[in-house]
Amino acid sequence: MKRIFISIIAAMIVLTGCGATNEKTTTAKESASPVSSPAVTKAPEATASAEAVTTEAASPEPTAKQDAEIPSTLGINATEFQTAFNKASKEFGDYFNISSLKIEEGLVLDSFKYEFSNSLIMNASINKKDSSIREILLIVNPDGTTETISNFVLAMGVLIIATNPTLDVEDRESVLVEFGLNDPDSDISNLKVSAIRNNIKYTFRTDTGAGIWLIASDANEVQ
């Protein structure tokens, strides 16, 4: 699986003309230009029970913490993210589309979960005070197929564009390079690396038994 993953990353970088960076944490230029990507198998769309972002209470819960200060935010709400993600997906050929989001209410944070396929899932936590998204997790459970890894790599690119639309092609792809994923000799088992672009922190994690993750969060999160 490691070789397949590295090969797909390398192919994306070569085909988009990406240049590597030697810094582990850098800030990027702001320029809106489209990004291209190699063709991959289209991921199956998830079925959803609503046509728009809806809110559903899991159970009656206290709201005492709703007025707490916001420790971190990506600066967009669920509806805005859905629009940004679907727009970013068009740059890759519309391989992914979020048809609807159902907001689940929690005690401290609200959340949503979206399944693109059985192996590719997106989770997000939402601040109660202003409904802004606090963190987004893209998770894949590898099944040994190139298709699954290809779809995850593509979804990584879409998530980066959706949360950082002003990055140019080189900066978008340099995030993956900064993770070290273009190096065929890199060890991606139990890996945790981060890159920051425009105050958005992208963390790439692998965990035996827990899959592969890409996390988008606030680089200035208050601990």
Side-chain angles (χ1 to χ4, degrees), residues 45 48 51 53 78 81-83 85-86 89 96-101 112 114 116 122:
E45 290 187 5
E51 296 180 355
V53 175
F81 172 72
Q82 179 182 353
T83 299
F85 188 91
N86 290 344
S89 181
F96 299 96
N97 185 72
I98 298 176
S99 58
S100 65
L101 290 175
F112 70 73
Y114 196 87
F116 296 100
M122 178 183 292

Coordinates of all heavy atoms in Angstrom, one line a residue, residues 45 48 51 53 78 81-83 85-86 89 96-101 112 114 116 122:
E45 N -21.2 8.5 -4.7 CA -21.8 9.5 -3.9 C -22.5 8.9 -2.7 O -23.1 7.9 -2.8 CB -22.7 10.4 -4.7 CG -22.0 11.3 -5.8 CD -23.0 12.2 -6.4 OE1 -24.2 12.3 -6.0 OE2 -22.6 12.9 -7.4
A48 N -28.1 10.7 1.1 CA -28.4 11.6 2.2 C -29.9 11.8 2.3 O -30.6 11.7 1.3 CB -27.7 13.0 2.0
E51 N -31.9 17.6 1.3 CA -31.3 18.3 0.1 C -30.6 19.6 0.5 O -30.0 20.2 -0.3 CB -32.4 18.7 -0.9 CG -33.1 17.4 -1.5 CD -34.2 17.8 -2.5 OE1 -34.5 19.0 -2.6 OE2 -34.7 16.9 -3.1
V53 N -28.5 21.7 4.1 CA -27.9 21.6 5.4 C -29.1 21.7 6.4 O -29.8 22.6 6.5 CB -26.9 22.7 5.7 CG1 -26.4 22.6 7.1 CG2 -25.7 22.6 4.7
A78 N -21.1 25.5 7.9 CA -21.3 24.2 7.2 C -21.8 24.5 5.8 O -21.4 23.8 4.8 CB -22.3 23.3 7.9
F81 N -19.0 25.8 3.7 CA -18.1 24.8 3.4 C -18.6 23.9 2.3 O -17.9 23.5 1.4 CB -17.7 24.0 4.6 CG -16.9 22.8 4.3 CD1 -15.5 22.9 3.9 CD2 -17.4 21.5 4.3 CE1 -14.8 21.8 3.6 CE2 -16.7 20.4 4.0 CZ -15.3 20.5 3.6
Q82 N -19.9 23.5 2.4 CA -20.5 22.7 1.4 C -20.3 23.3 0.0 O -20.0 22.6 -1.0 CB -21.9 22.4 1.7 CG -22.7 21.5 0.7 CD -24.1 21.4 1.0 OE1 -24.6 21.8 2.1 NE2 -24.9 20.7 0.1
T83 N -20.6 24.6 -0.1 CA -20.5 25.3 -1.4 C -19.1 25.3 -1.9 O -18.8 25.1 -3.1 CB -21.1 26.7 -1.2 OG1 -22.4 26.7 -0.9 CG2 -20.9 27.5 -2.5
F85 N -16.6 23.3 -1.1 CA -16.1 22.0 -1.4 C -16.6 21.5 -2.8 O -15.8 21.0 -3.6 CB -16.6 21.0 -0.3 CG -15.9 19.6 -0.5 CD1 -14.7 19.3 0.2 CD2 -16.5 18.6 -1.2 CE1 -14.2 18.0 0.1 CE2 -16.0 17.4 -1.4 CZ -14.8 17.1 -0.7
N86 N -17.9 21.7 -3.0 CA -18.4 21.3 -4.3 C -17.8 22.1 -5.5 O -17.6 21.6 -6.6 CB -20.0 21.5 -4.3 CG -20.6 20.5 -3.4 OD1 -20.1 19.5 -3.0 ND2 -21.9 20.7 -3.1
S89 N -14.4 20.8 -6.0 CA -14.5 19.5 -6.7 C -14.6 19.6 -8.2 O -14.1 18.7 -9.0 CB -15.7 18.7 -6.1 OG -15.8 17.4 -6.7
F96 N -16.3 14.5 -6.5 CA -17.0 14.4 -5.2 C -18.0 15.5 -5.1 O -17.8 16.6 -5.7 CB -15.9 14.6 -4.1 CG -14.9 13.6 -4.0 CD1 -13.7 13.7 -4.6 CD2 -15.2 12.4 -3.4 CE1 -12.7 12.7 -4.6 CE2 -14.2 11.4 -3.3 CZ -13.0 11.6 -3.9
N97 N -19.1 15.3 -4.5 CA -20.1 16.3 -4.3 C -20.8 16.0 -3.0 O -21.3 14.9 -2.7 CB -21.1 16.3 -5.5 CG -22.1 17.4 -5.4 OD1 -21.8 18.5 -5.6 ND2 -23.4 17.0 -5.1
I98 N -20.9 17.1 -2.2 CA -21.7 17.0 -0.9 C -23.1 17.4 -1.2 O -23.4 18.6 -1.4 CB -21.1 17.8 0.2 CG1 -19.6 17.4 0.5 CG2 -21.9 17.8 1.4 CD1 -18.9 18.3 1.5
S99 N -24.0 16.5 -1.3 CA -25.4 16.8 -1.7 C -26.2 17.4 -0.5 O -27.0 18.3 -0.7 CB -26.1 15.5 -2.1 OG -26.1 14.5 -1.1
S100 N -25.8 17.1 0.7 CA -26.5 17.7 1.9 C -25.7 17.4 3.1 O -24.9 16.4 3.2 CB -27.9 17.1 2.1 OG -27.9 15.7 2.4
L101 N -25.9 18.2 4.2 CA -25.2 17.9 5.4 C -26.2 18.0 6.6 O -27.1 18.9 6.6 CB -24.1 19.0 5.7 CG -22.9 19.0 4.8 CD1 -22.0 20.2 5.1 CD2 -22.1 17.7 5.0
F112 N -20.9 17.3 12.0 CA -21.5 16.6 10.8 C -20.6 15.5 10.3 O -19.4 15.6 10.5 CB -21.9 17.6 9.7 CG -20.8 18.2 8.9 CD1 -20.0 17.4 8.0 CD2 -20.5 19.5 9.0 CE1 -19.0 18.0 7.3 CE2 -19.5 20.1 8.3 CZ -18.7 19.3 7.4
Y114 N -20.1 13.0 6.8 CA -20.5 12.7 5.4 C -19.7 11.5 4.8 O -18.5 11.5 4.9 CB -20.3 13.9 4.5 CG -21.0 13.8 3.2 CD1 -22.4 14.3 3.1 CD2 -20.4 13.3 2.0 CE1 -23.1 14.2 1.9 CE2 -21.2 13.2 0.9 CZ -22.5 13.7 0.8 OH -23.2 13.6 -0.4
F116 N -18.6 9.5 1.6 CA -18.4 9.5 0.2 C -18.5 8.1 -0.3 O -19.0 7.8 -1.4 CB -17.1 10.2 -0.3 CG -17.0 11.6 0.1 CD1 -16.3 12.0 1.2 CD2 -17.7 12.6 -0.7 CE1 -16.2 13.4 1.5 CE2 -17.6 13.9 -0.4 CZ -16.8 14.3 0.7
M122 N -15.9 11.9 5.9 CA -15.5 13.2 6.4 C -16.3 13.6 7.6 O -17.5 13.4 7.7 CB -15.8 14.3 5.3 CG -15.4 15.7 5.8 SD -15.9 16.9 4.5 CE -14.6 16.5 3.2

